[in-house]
Amino acid sequence: MGQVVAPKSLRSVAAFDLVDEKFAGVSGKKASAVASLIAVASVSSGAQAQQSNLPPVTVDAPVERPRPVASKPSPEQVRARNALRRAAQRQQAQLTAPTTPSGPADANPYADPAAPYKVDHVQAGGKFPEKLVDTPKSITVLSKEVLEDKNATTLKQAILSTAGVTLGSGEGGNAFGDRFFIRGFDARNDIFIDGVRDSGVSVRENFFTEQVEILRGPGSTFSGRGVAGGAINIVTKQATTGNSFYNMDSTFGTDQTKRVTLDVNQVIDPTLAVRVGGLFQDANVAGRDYVTDNRNGAFIATTWKPTDTIKVTGNYIHTELTGLPDFGVPYYRPSTSSTAGGPFPDFGASRRNWYGAINRDFYRTGQDIGTLNAEVQVTPDLMLSNKFRASRSTQNYIGTLPESPSLKDPLSASTLTSNPQSRFQITDVLANQTEATYKFQDAAGFKHTALAGVEVDRERSSIDRYLNLTSEATGLPTSPSGSPTNTSVFFPQNTYLPYDIPSLSGLPTKVAIDTVSGYVMDSANYRDLVILNGGFRYDDYSIKASGYSANGTFGQQSAEFLIPNFNLGLTLKPLPNGSVYVAYATSANPVGAEFDGTSTAYGGLNPTLAGGNTQIFGPEKNKAIELGTKWELFDRHLLLTAALFQTTKENARESQNVGSAAAAAPLGCVYPTGTTGNISCITAGAAYRIRGIDLGVGGKITDKWSVFGGLVLMQSEVTQSLAPSANKTLYPTNVGRPLANVAHESFSLLSKYQLNDTWELGGQAVYRSKIYGGTLLAANQGTSLPSYWRFDAFAEAKLDQHWKLKLFVNNIFDKRYYDALYQSAAPFVLEAPGRAAYVVLSARY
């Protein structure tokens, strides 16, 4: 280091540099202020020295040191930095948004606050501990905001506007209600509420719903029996100790809808909150005469957190849906196979025609569900939880099926049979789930989230029917069952006929299912680069059924199975915002698993098969493999998913006519004792396969543009069948036929754009390809429903901080289309609602 003499004119600058170097570690404005003051003082001192003519000062000039080369941040540092940025964005979104209507007060706890169309987590955090982007399974989640912008007030409305899911009707002794097909497989008893199976077919309202999760593909490890094509989990609204809020929505529609919902959360103290809600609806159905859709309900939820380690939640839900049921319109099936058939409204009948009986038909669907859940954080790494559920569901209805049209020339003279269909079903469920979740890190560096659980379920159902459904009209032609056979297809004239007072038969079929399940699961994460997961579950499944046949014969059946299932998954993360995965899973459908069914062929257990023909078939076995990828884009506010999948079913049950007992014996047929003549029996041994591609999107493309939707393309095939085709003229065998009740191509897209601080515009497009009819899944009847496009639109105006107004127009072009096809040779179809407009006035305080 050498010595130089600094000129007087530079001494002040040197002083400033020394001060700046000395205070380089001081941050912010304080360092700058101090440095400025010292610099000014240095300048003043330099001026005084200049005036006093002092001798020059000799100083040591520092030698310039080389600066270290900037190192590239590690992947961990990049992930931490991005996480901090996302957290800051979410915090800013919460701070800038009003506390109501869409701020943190009533926000969905599972969704991205800055992009509520995008859900980051599902409710079952122990079973799916990773974010959705890192979960090796196709899961579509309809958040609260998606449900609101779809104007979906029932589960059926929400599901039918989602790609990859179609609706079925009740046949084979099954109840009419929420019967869905996911990836081509029946899922009517694979519906869960807060992770507990909601047994028995019902019709479910959405006023208490936080979000709807559609878990695609086999999943008995996660959910128990069934779940061949997937499962649906309804997440209910819970009380929150974060903020109090008071919400109300009032709806008025052109279909005479009058609907009011309330949702109030009150924080009692920092440890206790109570949330209550209510529903009232009085409505008709657009495009359908006479049909009504009235609803009322209420819920209450509580959250108590006496300490940071203990949380107790409870809720009770009551719903009641009443009105005149709609069992659809008849299907035109010409006598010659060269002429295409279809629903009668496509051949000139009015789409508004209703074929029921005002003085007889009704429906009442009710649910009462109570749940108590306790969580204890024993240590920072160990949590114990216990969930108890008691519920009762009621299906009570008499409806009219427009069946077996008699075709005449001219076609306008055709008549049909008004076939009464009735049910009084009560389903009671007691369920208890006990789980332990433990987090730890092993020697190899994997961070584990392990879960072990025990579930005990007790399900009971009583299924009765109504008598005295015959008309009192003098001289009215009737069939042997008492059904009017002269109802005009084009001008139904029997709407106001008088009827006897219906009464229950008093001889119900009773079904009891007891299940004890044990399961273990583990998700092992290695530095957010590799994620392994797997699980195993045993279900000790026991079923008993008893009842009376039409001739008064009493019968009973029982079965017990020990059912194992497992799943495996591997996820690789090439980048922090994306993943590539492969997964394999199994599931099983034991006999009687479709709890509402009274037909063995359709998944139920028929107790009238008494005597020597009581064979119980083993469970249907399902296997699936899925290869997929998921990516978070646009500041990780948009989730894109893509998956290739294949699901196979083995040992599937079929129904066939075999002619005689001698012909039935080698097939191992199940049929009622004493049956003579042409025997219709059940066999097992069929197999099906369905494969396809599943694409999904949800979230925000920009700060103002939100999207949610999907595209599902599938190919299905019956690979093995012992039964001949139901229509041998068209199809000699079932093998090679596609599956019935499956839309092999489906698409949906919900999109909205925020024009300014006041206005938002949005809309929805839904496409569903042709659906083929048939018996027992095979498309073998030669019947079908046409494909369709449907378009909806909405506009939202924020009137002020607390009030907003929303206008919906559903089915803008008044498209005539159909939701489901009854699986029989003389089917009827369920017609979808026509065009309707709704005004929704919302208050948020």
Side-chain angles (χ1 to χ4, degrees), residues 228-240:
I232 298 170
N233 184 43
I234 301 170
V235 181
T236 64
K237 296 177 179 178
Q238 300 294 320
T240 173

Side-chain angles (χ1 to χ4, degrees), residues 329-332 341-349 784-786 816 818 821 829:
V329 297
Y331 190 95
Y332 170 55
F344 259 97
D346 293 346
F347 293 86
S784 65
L785 293 180
R816 183 174 66 245
Y818 308 92
L821 175 70
V829 299

Side-chain angles (χ1 to χ4, degrees), residues 167-169 326-329 817-821 828-832:
L167 184 71
S169 61
D326 187 4
F327 286 89
V329 297
Y817 67 99
Y818 308 92
D819 284 333
L821 175 70
F828 60 91
V829 299
L830 303 183
E831 186 163 359

Side-chain angles (χ1 to χ4, degrees), residues 487-564:
T487 302
S488 170
V489 170
F490 286 81
F491 306 99
Q493 78 280 21
N494 296 325
T495 306
Y496 290 96
L497 288 178
Y499 280 85
D500 287 338
I501 298 176
S503 61
L504 293 172
S505 73
L507 301 174
T509 296
K510 295 188 176 182
V511 183
I513 298 178
D514 293 294
T515 310
V516 178
S517 307
Y519 48 92
V520 292
M521 303 175 191
D522 186 24
S523 178
N525 187 323
Y526 182 75
R527 299 184 178 182
D528 283 341
L529 298 174
V530 179
I531 303 173
L532 301 173
N533 68 58
F536 192 84
R537 179 177 179 127
Y538 260 116
D539 290 304
D540 187 346
Y541 172 88
S542 175
I543 182 170
K544 297 179 181 179
S546 63
Y548 294 85
S549 64
N551 61 11
T553 303
F554 178 80
Q556 56 185 359
Q557 284 186 306
S558 63
E560 185 170 357
F561 301 101
L562 188 62
I563 307 172

